[in-house]
Amino acid sequence: MTARSGAAGPSSDLLRAVQQRYGLDGFSRARRLTGGYANDVFVLDASAPLVLHVKHPPANAENLAWEHRLLRHLAQLLPEVPAPLTARDGLTFFWHKGQPVWLTPYMPGSPAEPADRRAVAAALGRLHAVKI
């Protein structure tokens, strides 16, 4: 069973692989998050909540590595951007049953509402002003 099994959570073998790769003690539970058009996403209730991402196919390691470098750069400049965490082997993702998997910090919040348009515009302005 992979993480992409409908409403079910991530498989126990995937959770074990994440624990080993990232040197984590365990999780009290894993629950699916809404969204994730290109990934299945789950909150892992660990000592500090984490988000587990499982990428939908097709997946390209070179493109994902570029995306993660970009996110890490943006995260240094914008507190709204969660950077992929580095595993014990120094990588930001690994392959599990043909799908890339990675962790990011959990950032609580809720979807933007129409009343949030100015804050959203300001955040997009900061994002677009970043020198890459």
Side-chain angles (χ1 to χ4, degrees):
M1 175 170 104
T2 66
R4 190 147 196 219
S5 59
S11 64
S12 58
D13 64 317
L14 173 56
L15 291 176
R16 278 192 303 278
V18 168
Q19 286 177 279
Q20 291 171 353
R21 287 287 193 149
Y22 289 89
L24 301 171
D25 292 331
F27 318 108
S28 58
R29 74 180 178 147
R31 60 186 165 84
R32 183 176 292 275
L33 290 172
T34 59
Y37 70 96
N39 311 300
D40 285 333
V41 287
F42 305 91
V43 173
L44 303 178
D45 291 332
S47 57
L50 301 169
V51 177
L52 170 65
H53 302 258
V54 181
K55 177 111 174 86
H56 298 171
N60 176 290
E62 185 177 318
N63 290 348
L64 192 56
W66 175 87
E67 178 183 315
H68 283 198
R69 285 191 306 274
L70 176 61
L71 287 170
R72 292 181 84 173
H73 175 72
L74 290 172
Q76 293 174 349
L77 304 168
L78 302 170
E80 307 92 300
V81 177
L85 300 179
T86 303
R88 293 163 71 178
D89 61 5
L91 300 175
T92 59
F93 67 93
F94 69 97
W95 295 86
H96 181 79
K97 296 185 179 181
Q99 293 179 283
V101 174
W102 66 94
L103 294 177
T104 59
Y106 175 72
M107 303 190 63
S110 59
E113 299 287 335
D116 300 319
R117 66 182 170 273
R118 289 184 192 272
V120 170
L124 285 172
R126 288 192 308 277
L127 174 64
H128 287 284
V130 170
K131 303 290 187 228
I132 298 177

